[in-house]
Amino acid sequence: MGNKTGTGPGAPEAEADTDAAAGGNDEIPADADGEGSSGAEGADGEESSPRAAGPEAAALAAGPARPSPRQKLAPLLRELPAALIALVISMCFGLSFGVNYGVSNQTAYMLGSLRLLDPSVLTKDFYAAGAANYHPAFAYVGWLLLAIDRGGAAVGWGLVVTVTLGAMCVYWLAAELLKQRRLALATFLLVMAIAFVTRTRSVAVTFIFDFILQPSTLGSLFLLAALPPFVAGRYLLSGVFLGLSGLFHANYLILGIGTFGLTQLLLGWSGGWKDLARRIAMQVGPAIAVFLLLSPLILSSVRSPDAARAHEILFNIRSRHHYAPTTFKGRFFPVAAWQMLGLGAGAWLLRGREGRGRRFGAAVLALAILIWTGTLLTTWVQIPRVAQVFVWRFAPFLDLLMQMLVCAASASIAARPSLLRRIPTAGLTLTLGGFVALAMLDNEGDLARALWLVLAPGAAGALIGAAASLLERRRVRLAPARALLLRFGAYAVVAYAAFACLHFAVPAVKSYRERSNVIKGMRGPEDDMYAWIRANTSKDALFLTPPQLARFRLIGERAIVVDWKASTYVPSELVEWYRRLEDVSGRKGFRSAKELFNGYGRLDAARLDSLQKKYKFNYVVVARGREKNLPGKIVYKNSRFAILGLAG
């Protein structure tokens, strides 16, 4: 394990706390936060007695007594109140996303789960049965949840549980960085106040969590779980979580190996090359094992004669919002602003702390190198392979670390105003610049309000410190006030942070039903059509459908020729997907979804006959009114759609 005794950076016990050495009187001692011991009690909790002699002295000479169960539980009981508060807020955060199923990316990602549950459906579907499944591990998670509830309720609540666990990992990270439970709790609450506003979103339509359970949700959970043990120097545990993150999403796998491998290099090799090799093996070894397991899937998207054409389709037609930086260049400014704010206010937290700050800083630097180098190589120098790696996937995690730094700095300075001296003038300038930039880029005003609330404790601490310096010059005795602040300051900061967090949490939780299709139910002509299809058509039927009906496969549980949403990643399959869309839309070389949808809307009898001969589908779905001039028998009609039965 990475926390064994040694001399290298992987041995935190051997690292000196440089901050404490430089100015230990500015640190918040453990007992000031209610976590220390007065030293007035012996090992068994009774008052020490200088009269111990005879058999008692012999027992002491024999070695320390084994701790009682009560003594073993004592540290856990001290941590329990803070952990319970964090759990409640985490559950609120999870609930704020709603309870949803069968929408957005799930219409593609849940198809593998549906086929595991019922192998007789979608057997003729090009995407569900023929294309490579890039998320095999997620398919089994989805299968289990659908087995619990075929309607998707378990999937919806699975998101709430996953986000709750992810938020608890944020608390775990704060606790590992600060090692003071009340300041850690205050930091966590302030970070969550920001998260309730940002929804963990960042550049290139990226996020840590979204309103549905999907492969990236589990990838995010385990990536968050990898950070606290890394900061603690427990590299093998961190590596196991990193491997699990990659198991659920190949993008996290590739980026995780590169990022965390770089963090170990940044920590240096003062313990020797063997120590560095040992740390790297523990950190990325499990992820490399996962890579070997998934390598056939990953390599299939690399080696293909259709690679150039597939890149063009993916980057410039299907997913410009992900892969073409010119379409989201404005979103880079908030990413840079968060780094200004976080490093300006909290860079001093990256020093000392028995190596925890140094490891946190290594993670920050590695993520920044990954994201900005990847951005440079897809804008200034355009390298398609780099764009395909999608480095911006990790941008929300860098934002989160920056938010934690500024929140930890604000909470710490509020509890100990003298810590403001740790921030140099350049740091204060960066902090102000980052705050102004984020406030100006905030169109709705919620983020600016959250930032005011987050920075207020630190600002109050700075004012208290300035007032104390002024009073000391006038020879006013402040020792009682200092003692009071040391004793109760952390409690006050926690109370304030709870208020700030609840200010944003309560409205989000109150409205969760409005964002929960599992609770509200989904009604309307489209869902009525799916219900009829499930009840009245054969499971092996094949449909021609409007390309915008993304929910058809998952909710209707029938195969289709093609749709816009479920694109593939293997080059040959992506080219086939595009060719099918050209066929059904009648638009050769189309460049946008709008062209595609308009083309299908003009489906005529000649094109339908040609398509039916080529793809052998049994039914065609069109907008109501379009069925009049098409061949086939009308088998279903409602206010929006008509279904024609054709001779297969």
Side-chain angles (χ1 to χ4, degrees):
M1 295 293 288
N3 58 351
K4 292 181 180 178
T5 302
T7 58
E13 291 87 342
E15 298 184 30
D17 190 333
T18 55
D19 285 353
N25 58 345
D26 283 345
E27 294 288 352
I28 301 176
D31 56 346
D33 195 28
E35 297 176 333
S37 170
S38 65
E41 292 183 352
D44 58 357
E46 296 294 330
E47 225 178 83
S48 298
S49 171
R51 295 189 296 271
E56 294 181 6
L60 289 173
R66 302 179 77 181
S68 66
R70 182 178 178 182
Q71 289 173 315
K72 291 179 180 179
L73 285 174
L76 296 177
L77 293 175
R78 284 197 298 269
E79 299 288 342
L80 188 59
L84 288 176
I85 294 172
L87 178 60
V88 170
I89 295 299
S90 297
M91 292 172 65
C92 291
F93 188 59
L95 202 58
S96 72
F97 285 91
V99 185
N100 297 292
Y101 173 70
V103 291
S104 189
N105 291 339
Q106 281 184 348
T107 59
Y109 294 147
M110 290 297 299
L111 296 179
S113 304
L114 180 62
R115 280 185 49 75
L116 285 174
L117 188 68
D118 187 352
S120 64
V121 300
L122 306 179
T123 55
K124 296 180 181 179
D125 193 274
F126 155 72
Y127 178 84
N133 181 5
Y134 268 80
H135 307 290
F138 179 78
Y140 285 96
V141 173
W143 162 78
L144 177 61
L145 295 174
L146 285 179
I148 295 172
D149 187 302
R150 182 71 176 260
V155 177
W157 286 105
L159 171 70
V160 176
V161 172
T162 304
V163 176
T164 298
L165 293 174
M168 286 300 292
C169 288
V170 176
Y171 172 67
W172 183 14
L173 179 60
E176 290 292 354
L177 176 64
L178 297 171
K179 284 299 182 184
Q180 295 166 343
R181 64 179 178 276
R182 293 189 184 93
L183 286 182
L185 177 60
T187 298
F188 166 76
L189 292 171
L190 293 175
V191 170
M192 294 311 296
I194 296 173
F196 274 107
V197 174
T198 65
R199 313 307 293 163
T200 72
R201 292 186 170 274
S202 188
V203 67
V205 197
T206 57
F207 43 78
I208 297 177
F209 297 117
D210 201 13
F211 72 103
I212 57 168
L213 182 69
Q214 54 188 319
S216 67
T217 313
L218 295 173
S220 293
L221 169 62
F222 288 113
L223 185 61
L224 286 174
L227 288 169
F230 171 77
V231 170
R234 302 171 64 188
Y235 302 130
L236 182 57
L237 180 59
S238 176
V240 169
F241 284 131
L242 183 65
L244 288 171
S245 176
L247 180 65
F248 285 101
H249 202 291
N251 201 205
Y252 284 74
L253 178 64
I254 303 300
L255 294 177
I257 291 173
T259 302
F260 280 82
L262 180 58
T263 58
Q264 294 296 341
L265 291 175
L266 291 172
L267 288 175
W269 48 84
S270 59
W273 291 103
K274 288 184 178 179
D275 176 69
L276 176 62
R278 177 183 62 85
R279 288 187 283 115
I280 291 177
M282 289 190 293
Q283 185 68 71
V284 301
I288 291 175
V290 173
F291 178 86
L292 294 175
L293 180 67
L294 299 179
S295 58
L297 289 172
I298 296 172
L299 294 177
S300 64
S301 65
V302 176
R303 299 175 180 174
S304 172
D306 297 312
R309 177 59 175 154
H311 286 158
E312 167 66 16
I313 294 170
L314 185 64
F315 297 166
N316 298 317
I317 299 174
R318 176 60 182 86
S319 298
R320 286 174 55 80
H321 60 290
H322 274 329
Y323 298 105
T326 55
T327 65
F328 49 79
K329 58 185 178 182
R331 290 297 302 164
F332 285 109
F333 292 103
V335 176
W338 277 121
Q339 290 168 48
M340 292 170 61
L341 185 61
L343 293 175
W348 60 275
L349 289 162
L350 305 181
R351 298 192 298 270
R353 302 184 171 278
E354 298 176 337
R356 298 187 303 275
R358 185 161 166 256
R359 287 186 285 272
F360 192 100
V364 166
L365 182 56
L367 285 169
I369 291 173
L370 172 84
I371 292 164
W372 291 116
T373 301
T375 301
L376 178 66
L377 296 179
T378 51
T379 51
W380 187 264
V381 179
Q382 297 184 3
I383 302 177
R385 291 293 185 196
V386 176
Q388 191 171 8
V389 173
F390 195 41
V391 296
W392 306 291
R393 176 77 68 180
F394 277 10
F397 296 91
L398 180 57
D399 290 351
L400 177 68
L401 296 185
M402 294 298 101
Q403 292 157 12
M404 181 164 289
L405 282 180
V406 69
C407 291
S410 183
S412 298
I413 293 169
R416 189 70 178 258
S418 59
L419 288 174
L420 181 65
R421 297 199 301 263
R422 299 292 180 86
I423 305 179
T425 302
L428 293 174
T429 303
L430 274 178
T431 302
L432 179 61
F435 171 77
V436 171
L438 286 168
M440 291 179 63
L441 293 167
D442 179 29
N443 296 325
E444 298 179 2
D446 287 341
L447 181 57
R449 191 165 71 253
L451 289 174
W452 277 114
L453 290 173
V454 162
L455 292 173
L463 290 175
I464 292 172
S469 297
L470 182 63
L471 291 172
E472 283 178 339
R473 289 173 189 170
R474 295 178 178 271
R475 302 193 181 282
V476 177
R477 187 170 176 270
L478 297 177
R482 288 182 183 277
L484 191 67
L485 183 61
L486 279 174
R487 186 172 182 83
F488 298 108
Y491 289 97
V493 176
V494 169
Y496 174 85
F499 159 76
C501 185
L502 290 173
H503 176 75
F504 297 102
V506 170
V509 174
K510 280 185 175 180
S511 60
Y512 87 96
R513 288 179 177 272
E514 299 173 12
R515 296 186 295 275
S516 303
N517 65 25
V518 167
I519 296 175
K520 292 194 310 179
M522 298 187 71
R523 301 287 185 270
E526 186 176 341
D527 286 272
D528 292 342
M529 177 180 68
Y530 295 147
W532 182 88
I533 288 171
R534 292 194 304 270
N536 295 278
T537 64
S538 171
K539 287 185 177 182
D540 64 353
L542 179 62
F543 284 73
L544 178 68
T545 61
Q548 62 267 39
L549 289 185
R551 300 172 59 234
F552 196 100
R553 290 183 178 101
L554 183 61
I555 308 302
E557 299 184 6
R558 297 296 182 267
I560 64 174
V561 174
V562 70
D563 74 348
W564 169 257
K565 183 67 176 177
S567 59
T568 62
Y569 289 96
V570 174
S572 59
E573 295 173 354
L574 187 61
V575 171
E576 170 65 12
W577 168 82
Y578 185 80
R579 185 182 62 77
R580 285 175 174 244
L581 286 174
E582 286 182 316
D583 288 346
V584 302
S585 67
R587 296 287 191 270
K588 296 295 181 182
F590 71 89
R591 305 292 295 179
S592 69
K594 184 177 180 180
E595 290 181 65
L596 180 66
F597 302 159
N598 290 340
Y600 187 87
R602 292 179 172 83
L603 181 68
D604 56 24
R607 179 148 53 98
L608 177 60
D609 181 64
S610 174
L611 289 170
Q612 203 273 334
K613 289 179 180 177
K614 184 173 184 178
Y615 292 107
K616 303 293 189 293
F617 44 82
N618 311 102
Y619 301 92
V620 57
V621 179
V622 294
R624 184 184 174 107
R626 295 295 304 170
E627 75 279 4
K628 295 177 181 178
N629 299 318
L630 296 176
K633 178 183 177 182
I634 299 174
V635 295
Y636 176 81
K637 184 187 293 188
N638 64 26
S639 60
R640 280 188 59 197
F641 301 101
I643 301 178
L644 300 170
L646 304 173

